Amino acid sequence: MPPESPVAVVELILALLGVAALLVVVARRLQMPYPILLVVGGLGLSLIPGLPRVRLDPELVFVLFLPPLLYPAALFTPWRDFRANLGPILLLAVGLVLVTMVATAWFAHRFVGIGWGAAYVLGAIVAPSDAVAATAIAHRLRVPRRIVTVLEGESLVNDTTAFVAYRFAIAAVVTGTFSLGSATAKFFAASIGGTLVGLAVGWLITALHRRLDDPPVQITISLLTPFVCYLAAEAVGCSGVLAVVVCGLYYGWRSPEVVGSRMRMRAVPVWEILGFVLNGVIFILIGLQLPDVIAALAGRSLREVLWFALVILVPVILLRVLWLFAIAYLPRLVRKNYRAPSWRQVALVGWTGMRGVDSLAAALAVPLFVASGAAFPDRDMVFFLTFAVIFGTLVLQGLSLDPVIRWLGVVDDREWEKEERRARLKANQAALARLREIAGQRPIEPSTLQRLTSEYEDRIVQLESEESAEGEARDGLFSEDYERLTEEALDVERQTILQLRNGGVINDAAHRRIQRDIDVAETRLRREQAG
């Protein structure tokens, strides 16, 4: 039974957040992508006798979870790399999603006995991959940047394809009618309309931020943007998911021109925290609802249930691998000058097909009833098979991805480091030239000018030496000695101002201001160390 009072619900949600935080700490200590441990933890919680379960209204799941998950993913997408790899991204995010949806529906209908309508709903739910676990490992092991871009771009666009198809499949089951021609026309209308709504909201938000310089207000607007965009698109019958993605891409490209440094430094951590909370809550919630699903399948044997899970999981995994090799090497038959990618990279991308939060949200959002008032057909089986695919892909592929990457010998070409170093060099050279230009135009305190020019000259010398040192693969902009000494110096600064505050020499406000400057310097150093 669900909790009887709102206070009990709040207490349970807070407890779940605490469990999620603890599981993430454990996952990081084990060097494991945290979604894997969250899904295992959710399953474990579901086995605790008497633990109350939180029931969410399926209609609210899309509104509550999808917009704030999709928007930051689009917001921080590297547009240049995304556009350069648009071909393979679309082949995965559109072609593979549709093929997986149809194939999964066939297997579910043929071997599980689910009706065609519910089977297509299941196919749309498990078709999109989630790159959270895959990119977490890929970033840590430094695989080529192009692989990470393709994975992130795919996980962004495939949500749009899958959820538009999902909406049509749900509507067909609920109403009991379906027309391919009408669905196709509505698909394009919803896509075009969603794109226009996303661009319109993105333009309005960009114009609004251009006129503001108030981080708390701007962050509030930023948090509201995906919800406004989604609801506006849905209100006019368009794709809210696509609108959120387009809005995020547009604003993400324009934001460096209109947003100040204070806003950027505060907004990024807010989105990181929100993403963590949403991921943790939704993974735990799915585990708490498993007993109901298992109870609904009580008439079936364990062997039969496991067979149903495998008959969906295995095709989902194998189809992705086959599709990747097909689109990578079949063009050789028609294009003589075609340069196929390395089979090792193709195999790696093929093995990174984990399902995650998006599939969970879609499964939770399946309606309880159809238009006639009858229960949604096979809803419990759809829910169970969705969890089986998520659990199987996260555990099997997620845990094996690290050794697979090492076995394949896929390593980063570090081209992004060279590109970043050249950009830093040009930026510092331009800044130094401007300082010298200002010195010739108006009187400047010599000591101030000397200090600034010396800092830029030192950076330029360091960058030029790194640029000329070919073959030296080293993370960070500065030497290890420089980084270590800077860390120790900053630590001494921090301890000194703390002693001054404790001794009453400075007040807390002064301490916080100085500490913030030290923290900013330390943050910059850590970013350099991370490369």
Side-chain angles (χ1 to χ4, degrees), residues 33-56:
Y34 73 84
I36 297 174
L37 209 56
L38 283 177
V39 78
V40 174
L43 180 61
L45 284 176
S46 70
L47 302 177
I48 299 177
L51 188 70
R53 292 182 289 278
V54 178
R55 298 179 185 274
L56 295 178

Side-chain angles (χ1 to χ4, degrees), residues 272-283:
E272 290 177 347
I273 293 171
L274 181 61
F276 167 78
V277 170
L278 292 176
N279 276 277
V281 167
I282 199 167
F283 272 116

Side-chain angles (χ1 to χ4, degrees), residues 454-525:
S454 296
E455 289 180 5
Y456 278 106
E457 286 171 349
D458 289 343
R459 293 178 193 169
I460 290 171
V461 169
Q462 181 66 35
L463 287 164
E464 287 177 336
S465 65
E466 290 291 331
E467 184 70 17
S468 61
E470 297 182 0
E472 293 185 9
R474 185 185 61 79
D475 294 338
L477 174 62
F478 303 108
S479 67
E480 293 182 2
D481 285 342
Y482 178 92
E483 292 169 351
R484 184 167 55 253
L485 288 172
T486 302
E487 287 179 345
E488 293 181 8
L490 291 173
D491 187 58
V492 169
E493 285 190 56
R494 188 177 288 109
Q495 294 299 324
T496 300
I497 63 168
L498 181 60
Q499 292 172 5
L500 292 173
R501 188 209 64 172
N502 293 343
V505 179
I506 60 175
N507 63 21
D508 290 276
H511 174 263
R512 284 192 293 268
R513 286 193 296 269
I514 301 173
Q515 183 175 251
R516 181 182 180 279
D517 291 339
I518 298 172
D519 291 343
V520 169
E522 187 175 49
T523 300
R524 171 188 282 183
L525 181 66

